[in-house]
Amino acid sequence: MIQVSGLRKSFGGKPVLSGVDLAVGQGESLCVIGQSGTGKSVLLKCILGLTQPDAGQILWQGRPLDRRTRPAFMARFGMLFQGAALFDSLTVWQNVAFRLRQRMPDAQARAVAIEKLARVGLGPETADLMPAELSGGMAKRAGLARAIADDPAVIFFDEPTTGLDPIRARRINDLIRGIVTETGATAITITHDMDSVRAIGDRVALLQDGRIAWEGQVPAMDHAAPLAGFLGNTPPL
Amino acid sequence: MNPVRLIGRAALSLTRGIGAVTLFTLRGLFRLRPFHGRAFGAQLVQIGWLSLPVVGLTALFTGAALALQIHSGGARFQASDVVPAIVAIGMVRELGPVLGGLMVAARVASSIAAEIGTMKVTEQIDALVTLSTDPMRWLVTPRLWAAVLTVPVLVGVGDIIGIMGGWLVGTQSLGFNSTAYLANTSAYLERWDVVSGLLKGAVFGLIVAVCGCWFGIHSGRGAAGVGRATKSAVVAAAVGILAANFVLTGLFFE
């Protein structure tokens, strides 16, 4: 469904992505792991068109993502940001229903928003709160509700558990896994939390030195030599 | 380094900057579809309605001080009677638009730059893109049009309040007759005086909103980056208003 080939990006002459090749199938959940500063977020931003790659191609359903095809891709897309990125000036339900309000009456959009908030474990009493009134975990859930509000076919999760305590992180991981399974959406998760990888991913790819250094099924990662250092394991002899 | 090369580099950089801001302004003004009516309504309130107290107070005290100045200065050549006319013309042509514009710059350019800058550093602008919403149309266009439309109204209201400030001082402490003061004001004030001031207001509103949006969108990372963007927006808006006022005054009255 999404295919990245030969993606390159440099900043100020310093290469961040040096030929990334990656493919994610329909309904598959891929986790991209890597140390901080290895270009995981740059990879996401290139796919989204927020950053212009220097070279390489991004295909969606076999067609290059460009000015003509990107609007159709974005219309079926949702994203959970690292810091939730809720709009400060809008209430929680207005955030969740942001896209819906552009094509349906407020009452209807609010009803969908409350339903999505319930899906992520937030009660209707949170609907009228401002984002500043939410805890970190609640903001992540509200961000997740916004990401799934329009039943997207593709969802990106950028560091979904960063800044959360282990209990809340586990809850978010379970929610994401449940939503991905239930909706059949294609998911790409950027993380360096291995618990998230185990909970969310079908497949995992290690981004290192600007390239995909290893990729495989999640159960196989514990025995993968290139991941040993990253996981803190002793590589198998 | 070669001084010619330095000058050339500075000229190129300046030209690039002017071109970029011009394109940004044109895109902000004319990329209207889809037009986000709710965002526009919110900005009318933010920029127009909520600036009214500060613009009104500034105009009131300016008109009052102007009356005192003209009265004491005019006394040197037996021209104290011109207070109503000079206060009206001074407020409507010059002080109303310029001081109103500067107050709006202080209040609005800073708040726009801080809000958009914070949105940028907290990825809210990226979030807009992921929600199929063009940040220019959602953030910039409503602010630009709201400022262009509301600042002339603020200037008009400020003109009236400023003139009333002069009237208050004139009648309460300078010994003017109330009816004569108002009659003098309207007798010497021409329609073009008012219209030129309102046109200046529209231009100043555009300058304020463009500076706020431009520096907000190009804000650096973190709190320091947003702080710098806010400061730059206010300084650029204030200097822009004073420069534009000089150009427009020359254009309108020479």
Side-chain angles (χ1 to χ4, degrees), chain A residues 86-88 98-99 101 106, chain B residues 38 124 126 129 132-133:
Chain A
L86 297 172
F87 304 123
D88 299 323
F98 186 87
R99 204 182 334 223
R101 292 175 81 205
D106 270 7
Chain B
R38 282 196 191 97
Q124 292 177 51
D126 289 347
V129 176
S132 305
T133 303

Side-chain angles (χ1 to χ4, degrees), chain A residues 45 48 50 74-75 77 81 85-88 98-99 101-102 106 146, chain B residues 36 38 115 118-119 122-124 126-133 138:
Chain A
K45 287 185 175 181
L48 289 178
L50 295 170
M74 297 307 278
F77 174 82
F81 285 83
L86 297 172
F87 304 123
D88 299 323
F98 186 87
R99 204 182 334 223
R101 292 175 81 205
Q102 296 179 24
D106 270 7
R146 183 175 69 182
Chain B
H36 297 286
R38 282 196 191 97
E115 186 180 357
T118 305
M119 287 184 76
T122 55
E123 295 186 305
Q124 292 177 51
D126 289 347
L128 277 175
V129 176
T130 67
L131 292 164
S132 305
T133 303
W138 174 261

Side-chain angles (χ1 to χ4, degrees), chain A residues 48-108:
Chain A
L48 289 178
L50 295 170
T51 298
Q52 192 62 36
D54 300 331
Q57 205 174 28
I58 301 156
L59 303 177
W60 179 57
Q61 294 179 332
R63 297 172 66 195
L65 266 182
D66 54 27
R67 274 186 150 200
R68 260 182 329 108
T69 54
R70 196 173 294 282
F73 170 71
M74 297 307 278
R76 306 200 56 205
F77 174 82
M79 178 158 176
L80 173 61
F81 285 83
Q82 191 173 340
L86 297 172
F87 304 123
D88 299 323
S89 55
L90 303 179
T91 61
V92 169
W93 84 263
Q94 287 169 338
N95 265 282
V96 174
F98 186 87
R99 204 182 334 223
L100 306 174
R101 292 175 81 205
Q102 296 179 24
R103 62 162 197 270
M104 61 174 73
D106 270 7
Q108 197 182 341

Side-chain angles (χ1 to χ4, degrees), chain B residues 19-20 25 37-38 55 89 93 135 137 151 155 157 162 171 193 201 204 230:
Chain B
T25 306
R38 282 196 191 97
V55 171
I89 293 171
R93 277 189 177 194
R137 291 184 174 97
V151 176
V155 167
V157 174
T171 55
D193 296 328
F204 298 165
T230 308

